[in-house]
Amino acid sequence: MRVRPPHRGVGPELPGTAEPSERADAARNRRRLLDAAQELVRDHGVDALTMDALAKRAGVGKGTVFRRFGNRTGLMYALLDHSETQAQEAFIFGPPPLGPGAPPVERLVAFGRARLLDIEVTGELHRAAELGSSEDHFSSRPYLVLKTHVTMLLRDAGTPGDPALLADTLLAALGAALVLHQLRTLGYTREQIGDNWEALVRRVAVSPEQ
């Protein structure tokens, strides 16, 4: 049995992220390595994520990690791809209010709060992806998936104006560089930033008749 890997488009195609197909057992092993990498970042920060540290955390030989991802840069992009795929699965297929079944405005609020949590954990990876050319970032598949989702929810909420343009504006408030600046330099908590996101969404997304 062979399975297709998740979407591509975060950064360049590097070892560990550009395979056209994988055996099911290889895909499971890859996911296990990336889950371990996520744990390392959550526990110790992105600087702690090295090939040696991942091999130790996952209980495999260092050669296995290098064969899978090529180098640390390849690992970083693979981890960001993994994180984006998990986020997309949550808001497309997960339980409400993030997933289907809740009113569109409540889903938008939940989407922003979930995005903030993800940035708090792997923000450096997101920021690195955003530091490429704006054309690459805003036309990348991960960004377009987020924009399509937010646009759909704005349209479902009956929001006046151009929903695609408003989606870009809202997503700018969730940019990793800005959020990390608010967290680390300005001293806001994730909860405060999330509350601000909710206030912004409720002002923008609710139609005047509601």
Side-chain angles (χ1 to χ4, degrees), residues 78-109:
L79 179 57
L80 181 56
D81 185 87
H82 182 61
S83 175
E84 290 285 359
T85 299
Q86 288 181 321
Q88 291 171 20
E89 289 173 350
F91 65 68
I92 295 174
F93 304 112
L98 181 57
V105 172
E106 302 307 318
R107 293 190 67 191
L108 270 172
V109 170

Side-chain angles (χ1 to χ4, degrees), residues 4-8 17 22 30 81-82 85 141:
R4 304 293 297 179
H7 68 75
R8 298 291 170 236
T17 66
E22 293 179 297
R30 179 179 185 276
D81 185 87
H82 182 61
T85 299
R141 193 176 306 177

Side-chain angles (χ1 to χ4, degrees), residues 109-147:
V109 170
F111 166 82
R113 291 189 182 276
R115 194 73 183 166
L116 289 171
L117 175 60
D118 191 42
I119 290 173
E120 188 176 51
V121 173
T122 55
E124 292 296 343
L125 300 177
H126 287 278
R127 181 163 64 176
E130 292 174 5
L131 288 178
S133 73
S134 59
E135 182 62 30
D136 288 343
H137 173 62
F138 292 115
S139 62
S140 69
R141 193 176 306 177
Y143 182 83
L144 292 177
V145 169
L146 299 181
K147 180 176 178 177

